[in-house]
Amino acid sequence: MTSAMEFERVEAPVTVKAYLMCAFSAFAGIMFGYDTGYISSVLAMDQFKKAYGDPLTGTYTVSQKSLIVAILSCGTFFGALLSGALADWFGRRTMIIVGCFIFIAGVIVQTTTISISALVVGRLIAGLGVGFVTAVNIMYMSEIAPKNVRGSLVSCYQFAVTIGIMLASCVGYATSRREDTGAFRIPIAIQFLWATVLISGLSLLPESPRYYVKKGQLANAMKALARVRGQSYESEYILHELAEIQANYEYEQSLGEVTWLGCFSGGILNSNSNARKIFIGVALQAMQQATGINFIFYYNTTFFQQVGLGKRAFLVAMITTIVNVVSTPVSFYTIERFGRRRLLIYGGIAMSICEMTIAVVGTVLPHSTAANYSMITLVCVYIFFFASTWGPVAWVVIGEIFQLPIRSKGVALSTSSNWFWNCIIAVIIPYMVEGTSGTSGLGVKVFYIWGALCFACAIFAYLVVPETKGLTLEQVDRMMEDVSARRSAGWLPRENWARDLGDMGHSTSATTSASRASPESIPMETKAFS
């Protein structure tokens, strides 16, 4: 039996350097959030309607609106799916940078040519880049973050997303009254800045140590691990953690290489099967979209115009994004204090209550000014609960539940699920809310659907999602093998992979491997670079 103290020594103490590295990698969320958020304001601009709509009526059709919004998610779906294999071949950091360049190409197309087809193609290309960035960045952050603050640091990604959405809304509000194409071109072009900053910063950060372990490059793994932990190469913490990562990976590899088809092996009822983990990740991301949050941030401006707010809709939309930003940091504390499961369960229930109430108020008092402001208030309360629970926690969990041999594939499949349902929802929302020619839409009654789905999200979290708080990524795998989701919060680690494999007499034990990757085996130019 391994002592609790021994487990605490698996990782080095958390340093300011570790916080800063993870926080900067979370900057990818600003790019993602801004790209998601700017379209809401742009669609409601008079200049945009004149440039892209019918020359006679100055409007665009419901189908055009649906296509413009949804095509981004279509691109991100394929980008996220492709990123799984590419991140294993070329590295996590490298693929994030590649995604940024693809994103820039898409922004160029959107900015330089004014036509529906160019806008759609540009958003498709940009979406492909965003798919690369979102899927790989979550995996990268999870692999470099210290276990005791991993949830909080990965939550920074969602916080950055909310900042991006808010910035998009602020820029849209500032340019909405312009009388030229700058009204919509400026919000689109500003995206260059986010991608450029991310590329510049990532060039200074190390690759994931777990990627190097997977590639058998232990000297590089030690170098990267020392940098992200803020320790010297000689540190006992670095040797111990590297040995633990390597030993667990050797054990998993002894079970055989995992193919894409192998990700679905074992059945979803098997406690620690690949299929169960894929199901949790894919379903969790689908559930996040089912909360209805992207109805708010894709169509909030046009929706608020429909309920009678007119030009004030831009201001109200901006206020909702500010609420989103200030609410997300609440999760930095609660996710480590109360755990992942509780936030998902109680967050789902709270969102359900808010959305059901919005639907009732809007249905009973459809033309009341007081009712409209009540709905706006309830939307802000709903956003608070999403931003502090399901928004960050869904991303944190998918970064934690997959073991190293399938982590890139698992995160890619989970993220692609997010974008698949994001795309489906973006396509159908205009038809659901506004209807088509000859049919009336649901209007505010659509919140009945979101409220019911949020309650289903809470049930799903209670039955299926395990508690991963305070565990290393390697310990999460063993926890899921030992206990059900409902008993996971009380599970305690009882094994040390490096020690146990050494006790079994493995000639290629991780401890020996880590020793061979000692600082003396690292070239002098590599030491100097650190």
Side-chain angles (χ1 to χ4, degrees):
M1 184 69 67
T2 307
S3 68
M5 183 176 296
E6 184 175 349
F7 283 114
E8 287 301 316
R9 294 175 60 218
V10 169
E11 286 189 346
V14 182
T15 64
V16 173
K17 186 176 183 179
Y19 280 117
L20 292 177
M21 282 188 171
C22 291
F24 189 85
S25 62
F27 189 86
I30 291 182
M31 187 179 80
F32 163 35
Y34 188 96
D35 196 42
T36 300
Y38 86 84
I39 199 63
S40 172
S41 297
V42 164
L43 285 173
M45 291 178 180
D46 292 336
Q47 290 299 319
F48 182 85
K49 294 175 182 178
K50 291 178 183 178
Y52 291 91
D54 186 285
L56 299 177
T57 63
T59 60
Y60 42 80
T61 65
V62 173
S63 61
Q64 287 175 325
K65 181 179 181 180
S66 173
L67 177 62
I68 291 169
V69 175
I71 198 66
L72 175 79
S73 303
C74 182
T76 51
F77 168 75
F78 289 106
L81 207 56
L82 289 171
S83 68
L86 295 176
D88 276 348
W89 292 341
F90 302 109
R92 283 57 160 143
R93 187 188 64 163
T94 300
M95 293 317 304
I96 298 173
I97 293 175
V98 169
C100 289
F101 281 112
I102 296 173
F103 176 78
I104 288 174
V107 174
I108 291 173
V109 174
Q110 295 176 68
T111 308
T112 55
T113 307
I114 299 179
S115 70
I116 290 287
S117 58
L119 183 64
V120 168
V121 170
R123 281 177 62 80
L124 179 66
I125 296 171
L128 188 67
V130 171
F132 275 80
V133 173
T134 54
V136 181
N137 194 67
I138 288 296
M139 176 168 48
Y140 177 71
M141 291 184 67
S142 297
E143 290 187 346
I144 69 172
K147 66 182 177 67
N148 289 329
V149 293
R150 187 175 58 240
S152 298
L153 291 177
V154 177
S155 294
C156 289
Y157 173 78
Q158 179 64 22
F159 181 52
V161 172
T162 66
I163 293 176
I165 295 173
M166 182 191 70
L167 290 173
S169 184
C170 292
V171 173
Y173 177 69
T175 65
S176 61
R177 298 182 185 275
R178 289 179 64 100
E179 299 296 330
D180 56 18
T181 59
F184 57 85
R185 271 181 157 159
I186 291 173
I188 295 174
I190 283 178
Q191 296 175 102
F192 285 112
L193 176 62
W194 317 134
T196 302
V197 171
L198 187 59
I199 291 171
S200 301
L202 283 171
S203 64
L204 303 176
L205 296 183
E207 181 55 84
S208 164
R210 286 175 169 87
Y211 165 74
Y212 284 131
V213 168
K214 185 178 178 67
K215 303 298 285 187
Q217 300 174 18
L218 294 188
N220 286 335
M222 175 177 284
K223 168 179 170 284
L225 191 60
R227 289 187 63 194
V228 300
R229 295 291 180 258
Q231 299 283 323
S232 67
Y233 298 123
E234 294 82 4
S235 169
E236 181 183 352
Y237 291 113
I238 299 304
L239 291 174
H240 193 103
E241 184 176 357
L242 180 60
E244 186 75 4
I245 295 170
Q246 171 67 5
N248 185 69
Y249 180 65
E250 286 182 2
Y251 169 74
E252 290 168 344
Q253 285 296 98
S254 70
L255 303 179
E257 184 66 30
V258 180
T259 63
W260 280 98
L261 187 60
C263 290
F264 302 94
S265 63
I268 62 174
L269 298 180
N270 190 331
S271 62
N272 196 38
S273 67
N274 292 340
R276 181 195 176 200
K277 294 176 180 178
I278 295 296
F279 168 72
I280 293 173
V282 168
L284 192 64
Q285 289 294 307
M287 291 283 185
Q288 189 199 59
Q289 293 303 303
T291 62
I293 191 62
N294 280 326
F295 166 68
I296 302 296
F297 291 123
Y298 281 153
Y299 299 106
N300 57 2
T301 309
T302 53
F303 177 75
F304 290 139
Q305 285 179 335
Q306 291 168 10
V307 299
L309 295 181
K311 290 293 184 181
R312 289 174 297 173
F314 287 94
L315 177 60
V316 174
M318 185 174 67
I319 291 172
T320 62
T321 63
I322 294 172
V323 172
N324 194 29
V325 171
V326 300
S327 302
T328 302
V330 173
S331 68
F332 296 175
Y333 170 75
T334 57
I335 199 169
E336 300 298 354
R337 174 65 177 83
F338 301 109
R340 286 64 160 155
R341 272 175 57 83
R342 286 188 185 179
L343 294 190
L344 292 175
I345 294 169
Y346 294 120
I349 294 172
M351 288 189 293
S352 178
I353 294 172
C354 289
E355 293 187 302
M356 286 295 187
T357 308
I358 292 170
V360 170
V361 171
T363 303
V364 174
L365 302 169
H367 304 295
S368 167
T369 301
N372 286 342
Y373 284 106
S374 296
M375 286 191 292
I376 292 169
T377 302
L378 287 167
V379 165
C380 290
V381 175
Y382 155 76
I383 290 172
F384 165 79
F385 284 113
F386 175 85
S388 58
T389 60
W390 274 83
V393 177
W395 292 108
V396 171
V397 172
I398 69 166
E400 295 177 332
I401 60 174
F402 300 108
Q403 67 269 34
L404 188 54
I406 69 164
R407 185 166 298 139
S408 60
K409 298 181 180 70
V411 173
L413 288 168
S414 301
T415 307
S416 63
S417 169
N418 180 291
W419 289 112
F420 174 80
W421 291 106
N422 188 310
C423 181
I424 296 299
I425 290 171
V427 168
I428 66 176
I429 281 177
Y431 298 100
M432 290 172 61
V433 177
E434 302 174 29
T436 58
S437 55
T439 63
S440 59
L442 293 173
V444 74
K445 293 178 182 177
V446 74
F447 281 96
Y448 283 121
I449 296 175
W450 303 134
L453 289 172
C454 280
F455 188 72
C457 289
I459 295 174
F460 169 81
Y462 175 75
L463 295 176
V464 177
V465 180
E467 182 54 72
T468 55
K469 176 174 73 78
L471 303 177
T472 68
L473 298 180
E474 288 69 38
Q475 290 165 355
V476 169
D477 184 53
R478 179 46 59 96
M479 175 271 293
M480 294 184 69
E481 181 177 343
D482 286 351
V483 297
S484 65
R486 283 175 287 178
R487 295 172 52 206
S488 58
W491 185 87
L492 295 175
R494 62 179 188 274
E495 292 170 316
N496 181 296
W497 287 103
R499 185 203 64 182
D500 292 349
L501 283 184
D503 290 346
M504 289 188 293
H506 282 225
S507 59
T508 59
S509 71
T511 304
T512 303
S513 299
S515 299
R516 291 173 180 170
S518 61
E520 287 72 18
S521 68
I522 302 175
M524 288 304 297
E525 61 271 19
T526 299
K527 292 184 183 181
F529 179 75
S530 67

